[in-house]
């Protein structure tokens, strides 16, 4: 019975080692593909982040610090590509994944900033619009209640000063 | 009403008293204020993007003054001694820019154009694949007036390039004893998703020797 137990243990050990070896080969084989995909994904994220930045109307201090972060992510992607060229796929993959993760948070930050900037723009334009509308209404009220009656009154006053002289012969006004 | 009467009434209407003039001025001021508010707000929030530019410069480091200067460029290069030079890029465009600097070695007679880059196959492979990249923020209006500044968000700080020649390059150059090292500035196009030649370049002509 003990003999069998030993054989079973040895066989299990050999089986385990074989599975681990195969697994490591699969992982090694997958990493090149994964690294390539991860680099491509990071590149796409970088392009998208730049597209978002190009659409921003104002580059304040926060946006400028975001640009610095994007440049750091770009550096990571470059390193990932260099490692990929040197067949260090695992490091390349890790670098690309880190870049993607950083770019994700940067993109989120840019979108929040853009949203806030747009909201502020809408608020200020709304205030200006409301104030302009209010000024226009006030002016209309002022015009109707004061200026126009004053104009009419003045016109009547001016007319009342008119001296009409009729020519006895022709009847025309002089 | 006769024609004469109508003329008289129009003459009276044209005569404005002092108080009328004052009222007209008041109305004009109100209109100007409202127009100014609209104008200022539109200029602030609907900014027009005027054309900007990018700047590429070659610099030398002066160890005595510990600063960079556009002076004392190298004139000679030999295979046994490398030449050190610095490049600097400034983003005076109105938006973020992703720059790439490409360095190419060509014959002295090779034309360099702002319309077309030097094709890689006509440049020697020594530097053709040697690129530098950087993303830069745009300069603010106050920053655009700055001079003698080498480090800011909108500046690609002076970066050292080691220039060298070897027998491979020398054997391919047809102009005797002189070569041209061209520095081209490329920009990333987010629509095309690739780098495109900005038309900005500078070059260095060097006498070379193999010894």
């Amino acid at each position: 019975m003990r003999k069998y137990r030993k054989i079973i243990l040895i066989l299990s050990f050999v089986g385990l080692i074989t599975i681990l070896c195969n697994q490591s080969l699969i992982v090694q084989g997958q990493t090149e593909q994964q690294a390539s995909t991860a680099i491509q994904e990071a590149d796409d994220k970088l392009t998208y982040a730049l597209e978002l930045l190009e659409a921003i109307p104002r580059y304040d201090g926060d946006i400028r610090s975001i640009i610095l972060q994007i440049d750091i992510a770009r550096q990571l992607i470059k390193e990932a590509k260099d490692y990929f060229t040197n067949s260090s796929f695992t490091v390349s993959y890790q670098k690309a994944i880190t870049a993607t993760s950083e770019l994700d948070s940067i993109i989120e930050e840019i979108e929040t900033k853009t949203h806030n900037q747009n909201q502020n723009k809408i608020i200020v334009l709304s205030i200006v619009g409301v104030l302009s509308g209010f000024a226009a209404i006030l002016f209309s009220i002022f015009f109707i209640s004061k200026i126009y009656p004053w104009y009419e009154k003045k016109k009547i006053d001016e007319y009342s000063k008119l001296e009409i002289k009729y020519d006895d012969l022709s009847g025309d006004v002089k | 009403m006769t024609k004469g009467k109508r003329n008289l009434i129009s003459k009276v209407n044209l005569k404005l008293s002092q108080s009328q003039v004052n009222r007209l001025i008041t109305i004009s001021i109100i209109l100007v204020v409202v127009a100014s508010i609209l104008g200022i707000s539109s200029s602030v929030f609907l900014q027009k993007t005027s054309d900007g530019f990018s700047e590429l410069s070659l610099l030398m480091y002066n160890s005595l003054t510990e600063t960079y200067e556009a002076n004392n460029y190298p004139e000679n290069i030999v295979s046994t001694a490398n030449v050190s030079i610095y490049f600097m890029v400034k983003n005076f465009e109105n938006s973020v820019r992703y720059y790439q600097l490409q360095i190419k070695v060509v014959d002295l007679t090779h034309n360099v154009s702002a319309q077309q880059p030097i094709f890689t196959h006509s440049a020697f492979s020594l530097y053709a694949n040697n690129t530098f990249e950087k993303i830069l923020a745009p300069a603010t209006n106050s920053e655009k007036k700055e001079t003698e500044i080498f480090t800011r968000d909108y500046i690609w700080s002076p970066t050292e390039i080691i220039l060298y020649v070897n027998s491979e390059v020398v054997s391919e150059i047809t102009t005797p004893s002189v070569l041209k090292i061209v520095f081209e500035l490329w920009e990333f196009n987010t629509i095309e998703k690739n780098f495109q030649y900005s038309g900005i370049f500078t070059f260095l002509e060097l006498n070379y020797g193999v010894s």
Side-chain angles (χ1 to χ4, degrees):
Chain A
M1 191 67 183
R2 277 186 181 176
K3 242 184 183 177
Y4 286 127
R5 203 180 279 174
K6 270 186 179 175
I7 290 164
I8 289 165
L9 271 172
I10 289 163
L11 283 173
S12 305
F13 183 72
V14 170
L16 193 67
I17 293 293
T18 313
I19 289 166
L20 281 174
C21 283
N22 283 340
Q23 197 63 35
S24 75
L25 280 174
I26 291 164
V27 168
Q28 191 66 27
Q30 281 178 334
T31 320
E32 183 177 358
Q33 183 61 36
Q34 281 178 334
S36 169
T37 312
I39 288 170
Q40 185 57 49
E41 196 185 342
D43 260 339
D44 291 344
K45 294 267 180 193
L46 181 69
T47 307
Y48 180 59
L50 287 169
E51 275 174 20
L52 287 177
L53 280 174
E54 281 176 351
I56 279 183
R58 281 190 303 149
Y59 288 84
D60 56 16
D62 292 341
I63 296 295
R64 291 163 80 88
S65 100
I66 285 173
I67 292 171
L68 288 178
Q69 290 173 46
I70 288 182
D71 194 51
I72 293 165
R74 176 204 60 79
Q75 185 63 33
L76 274 173
I77 296 170
K78 189 182 181 298
E79 286 172 22
K81 285 175 182 171
D82 290 345
Y83 277 112
F84 189 86
T85 311
N86 296 330
S87 303
S88 302
F89 303 121
T90 311
V91 187
S92 168
Y93 174 76
Q94 284 165 353
K95 293 268 180 192
I97 289 292
T98 312
T100 305
S101 150
E102 282 183 16
L103 284 165
D104 275 336
S105 64
I106 289 167
I107 286 166
E108 201 176 319
E109 211 173 329
I110 298 169
E111 282 172 341
T112 311
K113 292 273 173 203
T114 312
H115 181 69
N116 289 345
Q117 277 193 4
N118 285 339
Q119 265 194 336
N120 290 344
K121 186 176 155 184
I122 289 165
I123 289 167
V124 173
L125 283 178
S126 304
I127 290 168
V128 169
V130 166
L131 284 175
S132 305
F134 190 63
I137 291 166
L138 278 180
F139 176 73
S140 304
I141 292 168
F142 180 68
F143 184 84
I144 293 162
S145 62
K146 300 281 179 188
I147 297 172
Y148 190 69
W150 164 82
Y151 167 76
E152 285 292 316
K153 188 173 168 290
K154 278 283 172 189
K155 201 163 76 174
I156 290 163
D157 287 350
E158 291 290 336
Y159 287 166
S160 66
K161 288 174 191 169
L162 282 176
E163 206 175 301
I164 303 168
K165 287 182 180 175
Y166 293 99
D167 193 338
D168 291 338
L169 295 170
S170 64
D172 286 346
V173 178
K174 276 187 181 175
Chain B
M1 191 182 286
T2 61
K3 193 181 174 185
K5 277 183 184 175
R6 277 200 296 273
N7 284 341
L8 256 182
I9 289 166
S10 64
K11 276 180 186 172
V12 169
N13 282 341
L14 280 172
K15 286 178 186 173
L16 296 171
S17 66
Q18 187 59 42
S19 60
Q20 279 176 307
V21 172
N22 288 343
R23 279 172 193 263
L24 274 175
I25 290 168
T26 311
I27 293 160
S28 306
I29 290 169
I30 291 168
L31 289 174
V32 166
V33 167
V34 172
S36 304
I37 291 167
L38 290 173
I40 291 165
S41 58
S42 65
S43 67
V44 170
F45 294 101
L46 307 170
Q47 282 179 332
K48 286 178 185 173
T49 51
S50 58
D51 290 333
F53 64 94
S54 303
E55 187 183 283
L56 167 67
S57 46
L58 289 182
L59 302 166
M60 296 299 292
Y61 184 70
N62 188 330
S63 52
L64 292 172
T65 56
E66 292 186 340
T67 187
Y68 298 94
E69 54 187 28
N71 204 358
N72 298 324
Y73 292 111
E75 291 174 354
N76 303 300
I77 187 167
V78 288
S79 56
T80 50
N82 297 334
V83 166
S84 172
I85 195 162
Y86 294 80
F87 73 88
M88 182 173 69
V89 178
K90 288 184 179 179
N91 179 8
F92 292 120
E93 309 281 354
N94 294 305
S95 69
V96 64
R97 284 288 186 278
Y98 181 7
Y99 291 111
Q100 185 184 68
L101 187 86
Q102 296 189 9
I103 308 162
K104 296 161 183 178
V105 182
V106 289
D107 279 327
L108 184 65
T109 51
H110 200 294
N111 285 331
V112 189
S113 157
Q115 276 73 44
Q116 274 199 328
I118 292 170
F119 292 107
T120 315
H121 60 78
S122 64
F124 305 117
S125 58
L126 185 66
Y127 293 107
N129 297 322
N130 198 356
T131 60
F132 297 82
E133 290 176 10
K134 183 91 176 164
I135 298 169
L136 292 179
T140 59
N141 286 334
S142 59
E143 284 172 337
K144 283 176 185 173
K145 293 167 191 162
E146 289 177 342
T147 53
E148 302 290 320
I149 300 289
F150 300 105
T151 48
R152 283 279 194 278
D153 295 344
Y154 71 96
I155 299 174
W156 190 347
S157 301
T159 306
E160 189 178 18
I161 303 169
I162 306 292
L163 302 176
Y164 57 93
V165 287
N166 57 18
S167 54
E168 185 197 341
V169 173
V170 172
S171 66
E172 292 192 57
I173 290 171
T174 54
T175 47
S177 307
V178 190
L179 54 82
K180 193 186 271 182
I181 299 179
V182 184
F183 303 83
E184 290 176 346
L185 193 65
W186 291 56
E187 288 176 6
F188 189 76
N189 185 319
T190 50
I191 299 160
E192 300 288 330
K193 297 190 193 309
N194 60 17
F195 281 97
Q196 291 182 352
Y197 182 45
S198 67
I200 297 162
F201 68 89
T202 183
F203 60 85
L204 204 63
E205 290 175 6
L206 293 170
N207 299 310
Y208 68 85
V210 185
S211 60

